Amino acid sequence: MEIERKFTITRLPDNLTSYPCHIIEQAYLNTDPVVRIRRQDDSYYMTYKGKGLLAREEYNLPLNEASYYHLLEKADGNIISKKRYVIPIDHPQFDTTYMSLPGFSIDQISLSVELDIFEAPFAPLIIAEVEFPNKEMAESFLPLDWFSQDVTNDPAYHNSNLSTQEF
């Protein structure tokens, strides 16, 4: 299961270039169900995603470079290019509902922000995504101070829907 929340942002974090960065290109063979191909740096994948906004099934299968480019020719809509910065969340905050659950230990929680800075034609779009091990944690997570609007439940911010936009 992929369990993630998405946010627009108010400002870029300090020292952005000090964090790991990946160059991503992805395209969609289908949007219902979602079948995506992705090049991330020098790795290639095909992904199937089930229905859902906050939580949904996700399966990744490795591809080789030749297979990726063969399938890229068959993709529909826009190819999405973006830089993804991976930023650890040093001290994630949660509402009291989650913190009071049996077995809760802040020391065992390791979360990070995947900050996607989109290239044309989607620039200046920037989305922050945070993935969680369970829905309760996701729903209780308190956004970082540089996050703006929670767009988790807005399908317009899903990359599969961005791929179908006309410019």
Side-chain angles (χ1 to χ4, degrees):
M1 290 295 287
E2 175 188 56
I3 303 167
E4 71 179 7
R5 288 184 56 193
K6 296 180 181 220
F7 302 88
T8 57
I9 65 164
T10 56
R11 62 177 168 78
L12 291 173
D14 296 332
N15 303 317
L16 183 62
T17 58
S18 69
Y19 298 107
C21 179
H22 301 286
I23 304 301
I24 295 175
E25 176 185 79
Q26 61 191 41
Y28 291 81
L29 302 172
N30 203 53
T31 57
D32 187 17
V34 171
V35 179
R36 173 190 77 201
I37 56 171
R38 173 183 278 177
R39 176 179 54 86
Q40 180 171 309
D41 303 323
D42 295 324
S43 297
Y44 304 89
Y45 305 92
M46 177 185 288
T47 301
Y48 166 86
K49 292 188 176 203
K51 293 189 180 297
L53 297 171
L54 172 68
R56 59 186 176 163
E57 290 179 289
E58 179 180 275
Y59 301 97
N60 289 307
L61 301 169
L63 292 174
N64 61 32
E65 182 178 8
S67 297
Y68 172 81
Y69 285 107
H70 175 77
L71 291 169
L72 187 62
E73 294 175 9
K74 298 168 181 0
D76 296 329
N78 301 301
I79 295 172
I80 296 173
S81 297
K82 57 190 177 180
K83 288 183 179 176
R84 171 171 287 172
Y85 292 89
V86 181
I87 305 165
I89 303 175
D90 292 330
H91 304 287
Q93 301 292 310
F94 301 92
D95 68 24
T96 55
T97 305
Y98 190 73
M99 292 176 13
S100 64
L101 290 175
F104 175 82
S105 171
I106 195 73
D107 297 332
Q108 296 177 349
I109 297 173
S110 175
L111 299 176
S112 60
V113 176
E114 294 178 338
L115 184 68
D116 289 345
I117 300 176
F118 289 78
E119 304 290 333
F122 302 102
L125 181 62
I126 302 173
I127 299 291
E129 299 178 350
V130 181
E131 289 195 25
F132 302 89
N134 59 61
K135 285 176 68 173
E136 296 80 14
M137 183 185 290
E139 291 164 345
S140 297
F141 175 73
L142 300 176
L144 302 178
D145 64 355
W146 49 277
F147 288 10
S148 182
Q149 182 181 1
D150 184 340
V151 295
T152 303
N153 294 311
D154 186 343
Y157 288 91
H158 279 251
N159 288 311
S160 58
N161 290 328
L162 292 175
S163 76
T164 64
Q165 285 187 0
E166 294 188 24
F167 294 93

